[in-house]
Amino acid sequence: MAVSNYPYFTLHKKTQIFFAVAVLTALGLASAYFYSEKIKRDNLATRRFVADYQEAVASHNRGDYDAAVAKFKQALMEAPNKTAEAEIQRKIARSLLRGPESNQAEAIRLYKEIIDDPLVPKHLRAFALNDMAFAFDLRGFVGDQTFLEKAVFNEEPYASYLQESNTGIYGAVRRIYEQSDALYPTAFAKLEIAFKYAVTMNMGTREAGLSAEQTATLVRKYIDEATPLMGAFPYEGSLLAYMHLIRGVALGTIEQADKNNANSDESEAAYKSAILTVSTASPEDVHAQTILMLARLWYAANLGYRFGAARTGDIQMLIGPIIEAKSINTQPATYLRSHIRWVGNWTSGGVLRKGLFEIAGILPEFRSLLIELGWRIT
């Protein structure tokens, strides 16, 4: 009898085949199960990360910076990659910077850590440079500039930026934006460069070797370079409005410098864009509401300086909500009063200060507000 015809061997062979199929099937099912469970775990981790991140952003926008920092730190532990880690670290620094003064140095340290890390993508390092320089606008608009000198300009290359500047801290901050622009160009950095040139020009100072005409040319250059980049990133509403706002200031400066362009409405269009961008923002979004207040003030000052009483109706419409908010203690209203108080202490003129003086002569209620905030008006 042939071995292949022996019943036991035939049965044993069939059993082997059945067993092999069963094992392979079991392995396949197990692999599918574990793969499915991994996907579930990954999806759960992603959902948890997104939820914590979104909650942190919402807390930040409400001005609850301690809660934002706590949630961002939770999201940082769940970050899926290096890029996400760097982005969340930026957000932590941003909330720290807007919180108590005791947090400012830690915020700057985090920014510098991102900037100096070659493993972080270039665009995030450029964003961190922008954020760090923007600390000046957050604190500098109310006259608080000393912490930057201690925390930012205390080491190279930033120390040299300050030492070499002919326009003080304004020029040094502009150099940080220029560093960002060289690393990864953004509309934000370009508009800030134009803005810093314009502000110092308004205040009667310029970088060494630059005439007023040359400075105005640089302002226009950076504004034009920024325009095609405005839609390159999904800027949050308050930041986009701020960009329109400083564009308006910069344009207004060169409009005044160019006698042939003095009646241009380009700066007005930028101010209107700033107001429109945040006009429907949630009342709880303290950053949007702050920019809305600043845009109203700066736009009105621009009109007061250029047209005086001829634009009384527009000026009154812009300034009215600011006068109404004089006794309100919300974060945007408090910030705006600090800003107006700071402008009143300027030793030089500038379009903003001169424009507000003009408005004081037009609107008695605004004149009273300036006096309450320490302005010396005779």
Side-chain angles (χ1 to χ4, degrees):
M1 179 183 293
V3 173
S4 59
N5 292 328
Y6 189 64
Y8 174 79
F9 185 83
T10 303
L11 180 63
H12 184 61
K13 183 177 181 181
K14 290 180 179 179
T15 301
Q16 286 179 321
I17 294 172
F18 175 79
F19 181 73
V21 171
V23 169
L24 290 173
T25 301
L27 286 173
L29 290 172
S31 297
Y33 171 78
F34 286 119
Y35 180 70
S36 174
E37 288 300 306
K38 181 181 183 302
I39 291 177
K40 288 179 181 178
R41 287 195 301 273
D42 289 347
N43 287 341
L44 180 61
T46 300
R47 289 197 299 271
R48 188 183 300 117
F49 167 72
V50 171
D52 286 338
Y53 181 83
Q54 290 177 339
E55 187 175 340
V57 170
S59 295
H60 177 87
N61 289 341
R62 289 194 304 269
D64 189 354
Y65 302 119
D66 289 341
V69 168
K71 271 298 174 182
F72 277 131
K73 286 183 176 179
Q74 180 65 37
L76 182 63
M77 293 189 291
E78 301 157 352
N81 52 51
K82 180 73 173 179
T83 299
E85 288 177 7
E87 178 61 21
I88 294 171
Q89 198 169 341
R90 273 186 62 223
K91 294 296 196 300
I92 292 172
R94 188 178 65 162
S95 292
L96 287 171
L97 195 61
R98 288 164 173 79
E101 289 185 14
S102 58
N103 293 340
Q104 293 174 0
E106 174 63 11
I108 299 301
R109 186 194 67 78
L110 288 174
Y111 284 137
K112 287 184 175 180
E113 188 175 293
I114 297 169
I115 293 163
D116 294 339
D117 188 346
L119 297 180
V120 173
K122 282 186 177 181
H123 72 281
L124 288 181
R125 289 159 60 199
F127 291 171
L129 282 162
N130 289 344
D131 288 351
M132 187 170 72
F134 188 59
F136 170 76
D137 297 304
L138 286 174
R139 299 292 183 178
F141 280 177
V142 294
D144 180 10
Q145 302 172 3
T146 55
F147 91 96
L148 278 174
E149 296 178 12
K150 296 176 181 177
V152 176
F153 299 105
N154 60 338
E155 58 185 351
E156 295 297 344
Y158 314 108
S160 292
Y161 293 172
L162 185 59
Q163 187 177 14
E164 295 165 4
S165 173
N166 195 54
T167 55
I169 198 165
Y170 289 91
V173 170
R174 192 199 71 244
R175 290 280 299 277
I176 297 177
Y177 284 120
E178 289 173 348
Q179 181 182 344
S180 168
D181 189 49
L183 180 64
Y184 191 92
T186 61
F188 182 79
K190 290 182 182 295
L191 288 174
E192 279 284 11
I193 294 167
F195 179 53
K196 294 300 180 287
Y197 274 123
V199 167
T200 53
M201 190 175 171
N202 271 333
M203 297 174 73
T205 60
R206 296 186 298 274
E207 291 299 339
L210 288 179
S211 66
E213 292 75 16
Q214 288 170 325
T215 304
T217 298
L218 282 171
V219 171
R220 170 56 74 179
K221 169 184 177 292
Y222 281 105
I223 288 174
D224 289 346
E225 288 179 1
T227 301
L229 297 176
M230 289 289 281
F233 298 101
Y235 292 107
E236 59 190 63
S238 60
L239 191 58
L240 183 60
Y242 173 79
M243 290 162 66
H244 286 302
L245 177 56
I246 62 175
R247 184 172 181 270
V249 174
L251 285 167
T253 299
I254 58 177
E255 286 167 3
Q256 292 304 311
D258 183 357
K259 301 300 183 184
N260 297 320
N261 199 29
N263 294 320
S264 170
D265 61 357
E266 200 175 2
S267 62
E268 277 205 62
Y271 284 122
K272 288 176 181 177
S273 293
I275 292 173
L276 182 63
T277 300
V278 287
S279 61
T280 58
S282 167
E284 293 187 353
D285 188 337
V286 297
H287 309 115
Q289 297 304 322
T290 299
I291 296 301
L292 180 57
M293 287 279 204
L294 284 174
R296 286 180 172 277
L297 182 76
W298 292 6
Y299 184 12
N302 178 275
L303 294 180
Y305 180 79
R306 293 172 62 191
F307 306 108
R311 297 288 295 271
T312 295
D314 293 326
I315 292 170
Q316 195 160 20
M317 181 185 67
L318 291 164
I319 289 293
I322 294 173
I323 296 173
E324 292 171 6
K326 68 178 184 179
S327 300
I328 298 175
N329 290 321
T330 61
Q331 185 175 318
T334 301
Y335 184 92
L336 186 73
R337 288 194 292 272
S338 297
H339 176 62
I340 295 173
R341 189 178 293 112
W342 172 61
V343 174
N345 291 327
W346 285 3
T347 54
S348 58
V351 171
L352 179 57
R353 191 168 189 270
K354 291 176 181 177
L356 295 182
F357 262 120
E358 288 292 329
I359 295 172
I362 299 170
L363 303 178
E365 301 94 332
F366 188 68
R367 182 178 186 274
S368 298
L369 175 60
L370 293 185
I371 292 172
E372 285 179 26
L373 296 175
W375 282 52
R376 292 181 290 278
I377 301 177
T378 56

